[in-house]
mmCIF file with all atom_site columns, all heavy atoms in Angstrom:
data_model
loop_
_atom_site.group_PDB
_atom_site.id
_atom_site.type_symbol
_atom_site.label_atom_id
_atom_site.label_alt_id
_atom_site.label_comp_id
_atom_site.label_asym_id
_atom_site.label_entity_id
_atom_site.label_seq_id
_atom_site.pdbx_PDB_ins_code
_atom_site.Cartn_x
_atom_site.Cartn_y
_atom_site.Cartn_z
_atom_site.occupancy
_atom_site.B_iso_or_equiv
_atom_site.pdbx_formal_charge
_atom_site.auth_seq_id
_atom_site.auth_comp_id
_atom_site.auth_asym_id
_atom_site.auth_atom_id
_atom_site.pdbx_PDB_model_num
ATOM 1   N N   . SER A 1 1  ? 4.920   3.564   -12.255 1.00 87.00 ? 1419 SER A N   1
ATOM 2   C CA  . SER A 1 1  ? 3.867   2.497   -12.426 1.00 87.00 ? 1419 SER A CA  1
ATOM 3   C C   . SER A 1 1  ? 4.051   1.342   -11.496 1.00 87.00 ? 1419 SER A C   1
ATOM 4   O O   . SER A 1 1  ? 5.196   1.078   -10.970 1.00 87.00 ? 1419 SER A O   1
ATOM 5   C CB  . SER A 1 1  ? 3.901   2.027   -13.859 1.00 87.00 ? 1419 SER A CB  1
ATOM 6   O OG  . SER A 1 1  ? 3.595   3.028   -14.791 1.00 87.00 ? 1419 SER A OG  1
ATOM 7   N N   . ASP A 1 2  ? 3.015   0.622   -11.226 1.00 85.00 ? 1420 ASP A N   1
ATOM 8   C CA  . ASP A 1 2  ? 3.009   -0.550  -10.345 1.00 85.00 ? 1420 ASP A CA  1
ATOM 9   C C   . ASP A 1 2  ? 1.965   -1.477  -10.863 1.00 85.00 ? 1420 ASP A C   1
ATOM 10  O O   . ASP A 1 2  ? 1.027   -1.064  -11.665 1.00 85.00 ? 1420 ASP A O   1
ATOM 11  C CB  . ASP A 1 2  ? 2.728   -0.090  -8.954  1.00 85.00 ? 1420 ASP A CB  1
ATOM 12  C CG  . ASP A 1 2  ? 2.995   -1.199  -7.880  1.00 85.00 ? 1420 ASP A CG  1
ATOM 13  O OD1 . ASP A 1 2  ? 3.667   -2.141  -8.230  1.00 85.00 ? 1420 ASP A OD1 1
ATOM 14  O OD2 . ASP A 1 2  ? 2.532   -1.042  -6.744  1.00 85.00 ? 1420 ASP A OD2 1
ATOM 15  N N   . THR A 1 3  ? 1.973   -2.734  -10.460 1.00 86.00 ? 1421 THR A N   1
ATOM 16  C CA  . THR A 1 3  ? 0.955   -3.677  -10.819 1.00 86.00 ? 1421 THR A CA  1
ATOM 17  C C   . THR A 1 3  ? 0.240   -4.136  -9.583  1.00 86.00 ? 1421 THR A C   1
ATOM 18  O O   . THR A 1 3  ? 0.777   -4.065  -8.478  1.00 86.00 ? 1421 THR A O   1
ATOM 19  C CB  . THR A 1 3  ? 1.571   -4.946  -11.538 1.00 86.00 ? 1421 THR A CB  1
ATOM 20  O OG1 . THR A 1 3  ? 2.549   -5.553  -10.642 1.00 86.00 ? 1421 THR A OG1 1
ATOM 21  C CG2 . THR A 1 3  ? 2.220   -4.532  -12.859 1.00 86.00 ? 1421 THR A CG2 1
ATOM 22  N N   . THR A 1 4  ? -0.989  -4.588  -9.792  1.00 89.00 ? 1422 THR A N   1
ATOM 23  C CA  . THR A 1 4  ? -1.763  -5.080  -8.669  1.00 89.00 ? 1422 THR A CA  1
ATOM 24  C C   . THR A 1 4  ? -2.552  -6.328  -9.060  1.00 89.00 ? 1422 THR A C   1
ATOM 25  O O   . THR A 1 4  ? -2.963  -6.447  -10.223 1.00 89.00 ? 1422 THR A O   1
ATOM 26  C CB  . THR A 1 4  ? -2.779  -3.985  -8.173  1.00 89.00 ? 1422 THR A CB  1
ATOM 27  O OG1 . THR A 1 4  ? -3.576  -4.463  -7.072  1.00 89.00 ? 1422 THR A OG1 1
ATOM 28  C CG2 . THR A 1 4  ? -3.651  -3.472  -9.298  1.00 89.00 ? 1422 THR A CG2 1
ATOM 29  N N   . ASP A 1 5  ? -2.804  -7.239  -8.133  1.00 92.00 ? 1423 ASP A N   1
ATOM 30  C CA  . ASP A 1 5  ? -3.691  -8.341  -8.323  1.00 92.00 ? 1423 ASP A CA  1
ATOM 31  C C   . ASP A 1 5  ? -5.104  -8.043  -7.876  1.00 92.00 ? 1423 ASP A C   1
ATOM 32  O O   . ASP A 1 5  ? -5.996  -8.878  -7.918  1.00 92.00 ? 1423 ASP A O   1
ATOM 33  C CB  . ASP A 1 5  ? -3.173  -9.573  -7.615  1.00 92.00 ? 1423 ASP A CB  1
ATOM 34  C CG  . ASP A 1 5  ? -1.863  -10.041 -8.128  1.00 92.00 ? 1423 ASP A CG  1
ATOM 35  O OD1 . ASP A 1 5  ? -1.673  -9.972  -9.376  1.00 92.00 ? 1423 ASP A OD1 1
ATOM 36  O OD2 . ASP A 1 5  ? -1.021  -10.546 -7.334  1.00 92.00 ? 1423 ASP A OD2 1
ATOM 37  N N   . GLY A 1 6  ? -5.300  -6.796  -7.448  1.00 93.00 ? 1424 GLY A N   1
ATOM 38  C CA  . GLY A 1 6  ? -6.595  -6.421  -6.844  1.00 93.00 ? 1424 GLY A CA  1
ATOM 39  C C   . GLY A 1 6  ? -6.459  -6.190  -5.404  1.00 93.00 ? 1424 GLY A C   1
ATOM 40  O O   . GLY A 1 6  ? -5.499  -6.644  -4.749  1.00 93.00 ? 1424 GLY A O   1
ATOM 41  N N   . GLY A 1 7  ? -7.395  -5.528  -4.757  1.00 93.00 ? 1425 GLY A N   1
ATOM 42  C CA  . GLY A 1 7  ? -7.351  -5.220  -3.351  1.00 93.00 ? 1425 GLY A CA  1
ATOM 43  C C   . GLY A 1 7  ? -6.844  -3.826  -3.121  1.00 93.00 ? 1425 GLY A C   1
ATOM 44  O O   . GLY A 1 7  ? -6.791  -2.970  -3.957  1.00 93.00 ? 1425 GLY A O   1
ATOM 45  N N   . LEU A 1 8  ? -6.485  -3.556  -1.800  1.00 91.00 ? 1426 LEU A N   1
ATOM 46  C CA  . LEU A 1 8  ? -6.037  -2.193  -1.413  1.00 91.00 ? 1426 LEU A CA  1
ATOM 47  C C   . LEU A 1 8  ? -4.787  -1.801  -2.195  1.00 91.00 ? 1426 LEU A C   1
ATOM 48  O O   . LEU A 1 8  ? -3.904  -2.532  -2.333  1.00 91.00 ? 1426 LEU A O   1
ATOM 49  C CB  . LEU A 1 8  ? -5.776  -2.142  0.063   1.00 91.00 ? 1426 LEU A CB  1
ATOM 50  C CG  . LEU A 1 8  ? -6.988  -2.158  0.974   1.00 91.00 ? 1426 LEU A CG  1
ATOM 51  C CD1 . LEU A 1 8  ? -6.549  -2.316  2.486   1.00 91.00 ? 1426 LEU A CD1 1
ATOM 52  C CD2 . LEU A 1 8  ? -7.868  -0.949  0.835   1.00 91.00 ? 1426 LEU A CD2 1
ATOM 53  N N   . LEU A 1 9  ? -4.792  -0.556  -2.582  1.00 90.00 ? 1427 LEU A N   1
ATOM 54  C CA  . LEU A 1 9  ? -3.574  0.031   -3.195  1.00 90.00 ? 1427 LEU A CA  1
ATOM 55  C C   . LEU A 1 9  ? -2.552  0.274   -2.150  1.00 90.00 ? 1427 LEU A C   1
ATOM 56  O O   . LEU A 1 9  ? -2.861  0.604   -0.989  1.00 90.00 ? 1427 LEU A O   1
ATOM 57  C CB  . LEU A 1 9  ? -3.839  1.408   -3.912  1.00 90.00 ? 1427 LEU A CB  1
ATOM 58  C CG  . LEU A 1 9  ? -4.384  1.303   -5.336  1.00 90.00 ? 1427 LEU A CG  1
ATOM 59  C CD1 . LEU A 1 9  ? -5.690  0.492   -5.431  1.00 90.00 ? 1427 LEU A CD1 1
ATOM 60  C CD2 . LEU A 1 9  ? -4.604  2.691   -5.939  1.00 90.00 ? 1427 LEU A CD2 1
ATOM 61  N N   . SER A 1 10 ? -1.326  -0.025  -2.489  1.00 86.00 ? 1428 SER A N   1
ATOM 62  C CA  . SER A 1 10 ? -0.205  0.098   -1.535  1.00 86.00 ? 1428 SER A CA  1
ATOM 63  C C   . SER A 1 10 ? 0.452   1.415   -1.592  1.00 86.00 ? 1428 SER A C   1
ATOM 64  O O   . SER A 1 10 ? 1.308   1.672   -2.466  1.00 86.00 ? 1428 SER A O   1
ATOM 65  C CB  . SER A 1 10 ? 0.807   -1.033  -1.763  1.00 86.00 ? 1428 SER A CB  1
ATOM 66  O OG  . SER A 1 10 ? 1.942   -0.855  -0.962  1.00 86.00 ? 1428 SER A OG  1
ATOM 67  N N   . PHE A 1 11 ? 0.111   2.375   -0.694  1.00 89.00 ? 1429 PHE A N   1
ATOM 68  C CA  . PHE A 1 11 ? 0.774   3.642   -0.673  1.00 89.00 ? 1429 PHE A CA  1
ATOM 69  C C   . PHE A 1 11 ? 0.692   4.258   0.737   1.00 89.00 ? 1429 PHE A C   1
ATOM 70  O O   . PHE A 1 11 ? -0.248  3.943   1.471   1.00 89.00 ? 1429 PHE A O   1
ATOM 71  C CB  . PHE A 1 11 ? 0.248   4.629   -1.710  1.00 89.00 ? 1429 PHE A CB  1
ATOM 72  C CG  . PHE A 1 11 ? -1.136  5.108   -1.554  1.00 89.00 ? 1429 PHE A CG  1
ATOM 73  C CD1 . PHE A 1 11 ? -1.422  6.142   -0.653  1.00 89.00 ? 1429 PHE A CD1 1
ATOM 74  C CD2 . PHE A 1 11 ? -2.138  4.511   -2.340  1.00 89.00 ? 1429 PHE A CD2 1
ATOM 75  C CE1 . PHE A 1 11 ? -2.777  6.556   -0.536  1.00 89.00 ? 1429 PHE A CE1 1
ATOM 76  C CE2 . PHE A 1 11 ? -3.455  4.943   -2.198  1.00 89.00 ? 1429 PHE A CE2 1
ATOM 77  C CZ  . PHE A 1 11 ? -3.773  5.983   -1.319  1.00 89.00 ? 1429 PHE A CZ  1
ATOM 78  N N   . ARG A 1 12 ? 1.588   5.152   1.101   1.00 86.00 ? 1430 ARG A N   1
ATOM 79  C CA  . ARG A 1 12 ? 1.561   5.893   2.338   1.00 86.00 ? 1430 ARG A CA  1
ATOM 80  C C   . ARG A 1 12 ? 2.216   7.242   2.163   1.00 86.00 ? 1430 ARG A C   1
ATOM 81  O O   . ARG A 1 12 ? 3.119   7.420   1.368   1.00 86.00 ? 1430 ARG A O   1
ATOM 82  C CB  . ARG A 1 12 ? 2.312   5.097   3.489   1.00 86.00 ? 1430 ARG A CB  1
ATOM 83  C CG  . ARG A 1 12 ? 3.740   4.893   3.168   1.00 86.00 ? 1430 ARG A CG  1
ATOM 84  C CD  . ARG A 1 12 ? 4.530   4.399   4.407   1.00 86.00 ? 1430 ARG A CD  1
ATOM 85  N NE  . ARG A 1 12 ? 5.958   4.210   4.061   1.00 86.00 ? 1430 ARG A NE  1
ATOM 86  C CZ  . ARG A 1 12 ? 6.883   4.194   5.008   1.00 86.00 ? 1430 ARG A CZ  1
ATOM 87  N NH1 . ARG A 1 12 ? 6.579   4.339   6.296   1.00 86.00 ? 1430 ARG A NH1 1
ATOM 88  N NH2 . ARG A 1 12 ? 8.129   4.043   4.621   1.00 86.00 ? 1430 ARG A NH2 1
ATOM 89  N N   . PHE A 1 13 ? 1.762   8.150   2.954   1.00 87.00 ? 1431 PHE A N   1
ATOM 90  C CA  . PHE A 1 13 ? 2.342   9.466   3.003   1.00 87.00 ? 1431 PHE A CA  1
ATOM 91  C C   . PHE A 1 13 ? 3.189   9.594   4.218   1.00 87.00 ? 1431 PHE A C   1
ATOM 92  O O   . PHE A 1 13 ? 2.830   9.198   5.321   1.00 87.00 ? 1431 PHE A O   1
ATOM 93  C CB  . PHE A 1 13 ? 1.282   10.569  2.977   1.00 87.00 ? 1431 PHE A CB  1
ATOM 94  C CG  . PHE A 1 13 ? 0.548   10.773  1.773   1.00 87.00 ? 1431 PHE A CG  1
ATOM 95  C CD1 . PHE A 1 13 ? -0.695  10.201  1.556   1.00 87.00 ? 1431 PHE A CD1 1
ATOM 96  C CD2 . PHE A 1 13 ? 1.103   11.573  0.688   1.00 87.00 ? 1431 PHE A CD2 1
ATOM 97  C CE1 . PHE A 1 13 ? -1.398  10.382  0.374   1.00 87.00 ? 1431 PHE A CE1 1
ATOM 98  C CE2 . PHE A 1 13 ? 0.435   11.739  -0.496  1.00 87.00 ? 1431 PHE A CE2 1
ATOM 99  C CZ  . PHE A 1 13 ? -0.848  11.173  -0.656  1.00 87.00 ? 1431 PHE A CZ  1
ATOM 100 N N   . THR A 1 14 ? 4.364   10.228  4.084   1.00 84.00 ? 1432 THR A N   1
ATOM 101 C CA  . THR A 1 14 ? 5.217   10.476  5.254   1.00 84.00 ? 1432 THR A CA  1
ATOM 102 C C   . THR A 1 14 ? 5.781   11.869  5.138   1.00 84.00 ? 1432 THR A C   1
ATOM 103 O O   . THR A 1 14 ? 5.750   12.478  4.070   1.00 84.00 ? 1432 THR A O   1
ATOM 104 C CB  . THR A 1 14 ? 6.395   9.487   5.318   1.00 84.00 ? 1432 THR A CB  1
ATOM 105 O OG1 . THR A 1 14 ? 7.249   9.657   4.134   1.00 84.00 ? 1432 THR A OG1 1
ATOM 106 C CG2 . THR A 1 14 ? 5.984   8.091   5.486   1.00 84.00 ? 1432 THR A CG2 1
ATOM 107 N N   . SER A 1 15 ? 6.209   12.446  6.261   1.00 77.00 ? 1433 SER A N   1
ATOM 108 C CA  . SER A 1 15 ? 6.817   13.770  6.290   1.00 77.00 ? 1433 SER A CA  1
ATOM 109 C C   . SER A 1 15 ? 8.189   13.740  6.906   1.00 77.00 ? 1433 SER A C   1
ATOM 110 O O   . SER A 1 15 ? 8.357   13.086  7.943   1.00 77.00 ? 1433 SER A O   1
ATOM 111 C CB  . SER A 1 15 ? 5.894   14.725  7.160   1.00 77.00 ? 1433 SER A CB  1
ATOM 112 O OG  . SER A 1 15 ? 6.554   15.947  7.414   1.00 77.00 ? 1433 SER A OG  1
ATOM 113 N N   . SER A 1 16 ? 9.119   14.426  6.290   1.00 73.00 ? 1434 SER A N   1
ATOM 114 C CA  . SER A 1 16 ? 10.454  14.462  6.818   1.00 73.00 ? 1434 SER A CA  1
ATOM 115 C C   . SER A 1 16 ? 10.544  15.409  8.023   1.00 73.00 ? 1434 SER A C   1
ATOM 116 O O   . SER A 1 16 ? 11.548  15.359  8.801   1.00 73.00 ? 1434 SER A O   1
ATOM 117 C CB  . SER A 1 16 ? 11.470  14.949  5.777   1.00 73.00 ? 1434 SER A CB  1
ATOM 118 O OG  . SER A 1 16 ? 11.172  16.294  5.384   1.00 73.00 ? 1434 SER A OG  1
ATOM 119 N N   . GLY A 1 17 ? 9.540   16.226  8.228   1.00 64.00 ? 1435 GLY A N   1
ATOM 120 C CA  . GLY A 1 17 ? 9.575   17.134  9.322   1.00 64.00 ? 1435 GLY A CA  1
ATOM 121 C C   . GLY A 1 17 ? 8.938   16.652  10.611  1.00 64.00 ? 1435 GLY A C   1
ATOM 122 O O   . GLY A 1 17 ? 9.146   17.265  11.686  1.00 64.00 ? 1435 GLY A O   1
ATOM 123 N N   . THR A 1 18 ? 8.096   15.629  10.521  1.00 66.00 ? 1436 THR A N   1
ATOM 124 C CA  . THR A 1 18 ? 7.460   15.044  11.692  1.00 66.00 ? 1436 THR A CA  1
ATOM 125 C C   . THR A 1 18 ? 7.525   13.547  11.623  1.00 66.00 ? 1436 THR A C   1
ATOM 126 O O   . THR A 1 18 ? 7.959   12.965  10.584  1.00 66.00 ? 1436 THR A O   1
ATOM 127 C CB  . THR A 1 18 ? 5.979   15.458  11.759  1.00 66.00 ? 1436 THR A CB  1
ATOM 128 O OG1 . THR A 1 18 ? 5.261   14.847  10.686  1.00 66.00 ? 1436 THR A OG1 1
ATOM 129 C CG2 . THR A 1 18 ? 5.827   16.986  11.611  1.00 66.00 ? 1436 THR A CG2 1
ATOM 130 N N   . ALA A 1 19 ? 6.984   12.918  12.656  1.00 70.00 ? 1437 ALA A N   1
ATOM 131 C CA  . ALA A 1 19 ? 7.017   11.456  12.652  1.00 70.00 ? 1437 ALA A CA  1
ATOM 132 C C   . ALA A 1 19 ? 5.686   10.938  12.112  1.00 70.00 ? 1437 ALA A C   1
ATOM 133 O O   . ALA A 1 19 ? 5.463   9.714   12.117  1.00 70.00 ? 1437 ALA A O   1
ATOM 134 C CB  . ALA A 1 19 ? 7.258   10.942  14.086  1.00 70.00 ? 1437 ALA A CB  1
ATOM 135 N N   . ALA A 1 20 ? 4.839   11.815  11.664  1.00 76.00 ? 1438 ALA A N   1
ATOM 136 C CA  . ALA A 1 20 ? 3.530   11.454  11.196  1.00 76.00 ? 1438 ALA A CA  1
ATOM 137 C C   . ALA A 1 20 ? 3.545   10.670  9.907   1.00 76.00 ? 1438 ALA A C   1
ATOM 138 O O   . ALA A 1 20 ? 4.426   10.877  9.054   1.00 76.00 ? 1438 ALA A O   1
ATOM 139 C CB  . ALA A 1 20 ? 2.580   12.615  11.096  1.00 76.00 ? 1438 ALA A CB  1
ATOM 140 N N   . SER A 1 21 ? 2.596   9.792   9.698   1.00 83.00 ? 1439 SER A N   1
ATOM 141 C CA  . SER A 1 21 ? 2.434   9.119   8.384   1.00 83.00 ? 1439 SER A CA  1
ATOM 142 C C   . SER A 1 21 ? 0.974   8.663   8.277   1.00 83.00 ? 1439 SER A C   1
ATOM 143 O O   . SER A 1 21 ? 0.283   8.557   9.338   1.00 83.00 ? 1439 SER A O   1
ATOM 144 C CB  . SER A 1 21 ? 3.382   7.878   8.277   1.00 83.00 ? 1439 SER A CB  1
ATOM 145 O OG  . SER A 1 21 ? 3.045   6.918   9.264   1.00 83.00 ? 1439 SER A OG  1
ATOM 146 N N   . VAL A 1 22 ? 0.566   8.434   7.110   1.00 86.00 ? 1440 VAL A N   1
ATOM 147 C CA  . VAL A 1 22 ? -0.835  7.961   6.905   1.00 86.00 ? 1440 VAL A CA  1
ATOM 148 C C   . VAL A 1 22 ? -0.754  6.955   5.763   1.00 86.00 ? 1440 VAL A C   1
ATOM 149 O O   . VAL A 1 22 ? -0.204  7.137   4.743   1.00 86.00 ? 1440 VAL A O   1
ATOM 150 C CB  . VAL A 1 22 ? -1.838  9.085   6.620   1.00 86.00 ? 1440 VAL A CB  1
ATOM 151 C CG1 . VAL A 1 22 ? -1.442  9.931   5.409   1.00 86.00 ? 1440 VAL A CG1 1
ATOM 152 C CG2 . VAL A 1 22 ? -3.285  8.549   6.561   1.00 86.00 ? 1440 VAL A CG2 1
ATOM 153 N N   . TRP A 1 23 ? -1.409  5.830   5.979   1.00 88.00 ? 1441 TRP A N   1
ATOM 154 C CA  . TRP A 1 23 ? -1.421  4.691   5.027   1.00 88.00 ? 1441 TRP A CA  1
ATOM 155 C C   . TRP A 1 23 ? -2.808  4.492   4.404   1.00 88.00 ? 1441 TRP A C   1
ATOM 156 O O   . TRP A 1 23 ? -3.800  4.740   5.138   1.00 88.00 ? 1441 TRP A O   1
ATOM 157 C CB  . TRP A 1 23 ? -1.102  3.368   5.746   1.00 88.00 ? 1441 TRP A CB  1
ATOM 158 C CG  . TRP A 1 23 ? 0.290   3.268   6.323   1.00 88.00 ? 1441 TRP A CG  1
ATOM 159 C CD1 . TRP A 1 23 ? 0.750   3.958   7.442   1.00 88.00 ? 1441 TRP A CD1 1
ATOM 160 C CD2 . TRP A 1 23 ? 1.318   2.407   5.879   1.00 88.00 ? 1441 TRP A CD2 1
ATOM 161 N NE1 . TRP A 1 23 ? 2.048   3.587   7.710   1.00 88.00 ? 1441 TRP A NE1 1
ATOM 162 C CE2 . TRP A 1 23 ? 2.431   2.664   6.725   1.00 88.00 ? 1441 TRP A CE2 1
ATOM 163 C CE3 . TRP A 1 23 ? 1.472   1.544   4.829   1.00 88.00 ? 1441 TRP A CE3 1
ATOM 164 C CZ2 . TRP A 1 23 ? 3.649   1.984   6.568   1.00 88.00 ? 1441 TRP A CZ2 1
ATOM 165 C CZ3 . TRP A 1 23 ? 2.649   0.880   4.636   1.00 88.00 ? 1441 TRP A CZ3 1
ATOM 166 C CH2 . TRP A 1 23 ? 3.739   1.116   5.519   1.00 88.00 ? 1441 TRP A CH2 1
ATOM 167 N N   . ASN A 1 24 ? -2.826  4.118   3.201   1.00 90.00 ? 1442 ASN A N   1
ATOM 168 C CA  . ASN A 1 24 ? -4.042  3.692   2.593   1.00 90.00 ? 1442 ASN A CA  1
ATOM 169 C C   . ASN A 1 24 ? -4.568  2.414   3.262   1.00 90.00 ? 1442 ASN A C   1
ATOM 170 O O   . ASN A 1 24 ? -3.762  1.452   3.386   1.00 90.00 ? 1442 ASN A O   1
ATOM 171 C CB  . ASN A 1 24 ? -3.872  3.436   1.035   1.00 90.00 ? 1442 ASN A CB  1
ATOM 172 C CG  . ASN A 1 24 ? -5.150  3.088   0.329   1.00 90.00 ? 1442 ASN A CG  1
ATOM 173 O OD1 . ASN A 1 24 ? -6.149  3.795   0.507   1.00 90.00 ? 1442 ASN A OD1 1
ATOM 174 N ND2 . ASN A 1 24 ? -5.151  1.979   -0.362  1.00 90.00 ? 1442 ASN A ND2 1
ATOM 175 N N   . GLY A 1 25 ? -5.774  2.397   3.711   1.00 88.00 ? 1443 GLY A N   1
ATOM 176 C CA  . GLY A 1 25 ? -6.349  1.234   4.363   1.00 88.00 ? 1443 GLY A CA  1
ATOM 177 C C   . GLY A 1 25 ? -6.279  1.241   5.908   1.00 88.00 ? 1443 GLY A C   1
ATOM 178 O O   . GLY A 1 25 ? -6.871  0.428   6.554   1.00 88.00 ? 1443 GLY A O   1
ATOM 179 N N   . ARG A 1 26 ? -5.528  2.220   6.449   1.00 85.00 ? 1444 ARG A N   1
ATOM 180 C CA  . ARG A 1 26 ? -5.421  2.381   7.879   1.00 85.00 ? 1444 ARG A CA  1
ATOM 181 C C   . ARG A 1 26 ? -6.581  3.371   8.333   1.00 85.00 ? 1444 ARG A C   1
ATOM 182 O O   . ARG A 1 26 ? -6.825  4.371   7.658   1.00 85.00 ? 1444 ARG A O   1
ATOM 183 C CB  . ARG A 1 26 ? -4.035  2.934   8.328   1.00 85.00 ? 1444 ARG A CB  1
ATOM 184 C CG  . ARG A 1 26 ? -2.896  2.012   7.940   1.00 85.00 ? 1444 ARG A CG  1
ATOM 185 C CD  . ARG A 1 26 ? -2.650  0.941   8.977   1.00 85.00 ? 1444 ARG A CD  1
ATOM 186 N NE  . ARG A 1 26 ? -1.516  0.088   8.584   1.00 85.00 ? 1444 ARG A NE  1
ATOM 187 C CZ  . ARG A 1 26 ? -0.235  0.292   8.967   1.00 85.00 ? 1444 ARG A CZ  1
ATOM 188 N NH1 . ARG A 1 26 ? 0.027   1.287   9.810   1.00 85.00 ? 1444 ARG A NH1 1
ATOM 189 N NH2 . ARG A 1 26 ? 0.675   -0.543  8.603   1.00 85.00 ? 1444 ARG A NH2 1
ATOM 190 N N   . ASP A 1 27 ? -7.110  3.146   9.508   1.00 78.00 ? 1445 ASP A N   1
ATOM 191 C CA  . ASP A 1 27 ? -8.197  3.970   10.036  1.00 78.00 ? 1445 ASP A CA  1
ATOM 192 C C   . ASP A 1 27 ? -7.649  5.397   10.357  1.00 78.00 ? 1445 ASP A C   1
ATOM 193 O O   . ASP A 1 27 ? -6.683  5.513   11.098  1.00 78.00 ? 1445 ASP A O   1
ATOM 194 C CB  . ASP A 1 27 ? -8.814  3.327   11.296  1.00 78.00 ? 1445 ASP A CB  1
ATOM 195 C CG  . ASP A 1 27 ? -9.986  4.042   11.724  1.00 78.00 ? 1445 ASP A CG  1
ATOM 196 O OD1 . ASP A 1 27 ? -10.571 4.846   10.986  1.00 78.00 ? 1445 ASP A OD1 1
ATOM 197 O OD2 . ASP A 1 27 ? -10.389 3.863   12.930  1.00 78.00 ? 1445 ASP A OD2 1
ATOM 198 N N   . PHE A 1 28 ? -8.217  6.431   9.811   1.00 82.00 ? 1446 PHE A N   1
ATOM 199 C CA  . PHE A 1 28 ? -7.905  7.797   10.185  1.00 82.00 ? 1446 PHE A CA  1
ATOM 200 C C   . PHE A 1 28 ? -9.110  8.678   9.993   1.00 82.00 ? 1446 PHE A C   1
ATOM 201 O O   . PHE A 1 28 ? -10.045 8.355   9.355   1.00 82.00 ? 1446 PHE A O   1
ATOM 202 C CB  . PHE A 1 28 ? -6.699  8.294   9.403   1.00 82.00 ? 1446 PHE A CB  1
ATOM 203 C CG  . PHE A 1 28 ? -6.955  8.490   7.909   1.00 82.00 ? 1446 PHE A CG  1
ATOM 204 C CD1 . PHE A 1 28 ? -7.344  9.743   7.404   1.00 82.00 ? 1446 PHE A CD1 1
ATOM 205 C CD2 . PHE A 1 28 ? -6.757  7.491   7.013   1.00 82.00 ? 1446 PHE A CD2 1
ATOM 206 C CE1 . PHE A 1 28 ? -7.595  9.915   6.082   1.00 82.00 ? 1446 PHE A CE1 1
ATOM 207 C CE2 . PHE A 1 28 ? -7.027  7.642   5.639   1.00 82.00 ? 1446 PHE A CE2 1
ATOM 208 C CZ  . PHE A 1 28 ? -7.453  8.854   5.147   1.00 82.00 ? 1446 PHE A CZ  1
ATOM 209 N N   . THR A 1 29 ? -9.066  9.847   10.636  1.00 81.00 ? 1447 THR A N   1
ATOM 210 C CA  . THR A 1 29 ? -10.175 10.807  10.587  1.00 81.00 ? 1447 THR A CA  1
ATOM 211 C C   . THR A 1 29 ? -9.629  12.136  10.076  1.00 81.00 ? 1447 THR A C   1
ATOM 212 O O   . THR A 1 29 ? -8.433  12.411  9.953   1.00 81.00 ? 1447 THR A O   1
ATOM 213 C CB  . THR A 1 29 ? -10.787 11.006  11.959  1.00 81.00 ? 1447 THR A CB  1
ATOM 214 O OG1 . THR A 1 29 ? -9.872  11.605  12.876  1.00 81.00 ? 1447 THR A OG1 1
ATOM 215 C CG2 . THR A 1 29 ? -11.243 9.662   12.543  1.00 81.00 ? 1447 THR A CG2 1
ATOM 216 N N   . LEU A 1 30 ? -10.569 13.107  9.837   1.00 82.00 ? 1448 LEU A N   1
ATOM 217 C CA  . LEU A 1 30 ? -10.239 14.396  9.295   1.00 82.00 ? 1448 LEU A CA  1
ATOM 218 C C   . LEU A 1 30 ? -9.311  15.148  10.317  1.00 82.00 ? 1448 LEU A C   1
ATOM 219 O O   . LEU A 1 30 ? -8.517  15.957  9.863   1.00 82.00 ? 1448 LEU A O   1
ATOM 220 C CB  . LEU A 1 30 ? -11.565 15.174  9.132   1.00 82.00 ? 1448 LEU A CB  1
ATOM 221 C CG  . LEU A 1 30 ? -11.473 16.553  8.422   1.00 82.00 ? 1448 LEU A CG  1
ATOM 222 C CD1 . LEU A 1 30 ? -10.831 16.434  7.037   1.00 82.00 ? 1448 LEU A CD1 1
ATOM 223 C CD2 . LEU A 1 30 ? -12.788 17.241  8.417   1.00 82.00 ? 1448 LEU A CD2 1
ATOM 224 N N   . GLY A 1 31 ? -9.380  14.874  11.582  1.00 79.00 ? 1449 GLY A N   1
ATOM 225 C CA  . GLY A 1 31 ? -8.555  15.561  12.559  1.00 79.00 ? 1449 GLY A CA  1
ATOM 226 C C   . GLY A 1 31 ? -7.203  14.940  12.791  1.00 79.00 ? 1449 GLY A C   1
ATOM 227 O O   . GLY A 1 31 ? -6.514  15.352  13.697  1.00 79.00 ? 1449 GLY A O   1
#
């Protein structure tokens, strides 16, 4: 659980096998 005051949720996905990551609120596309 986490608390929020409102606004963007704070989370990101990372992989131990690559340097890739994706953040909530960062611009990204299907590709």
Side-chain angles (χ1 to χ4, degrees):
S1419 297
D1420 194 14
T1421 58
T1422 177
D1423 293 326
L1426 288 173
L1427 274 59
S1428 173
F1429 66 82
R1430 63 170 178 156
F1431 287 99
T1432 61
S1433 168
S1434 65
T1436 69
S1439 64
V1440 60
W1441 295 71
N1442 185 50
R1444 301 273 181 95
D1445 187 18
F1446 67 93
T1447 65
L1448 187 61

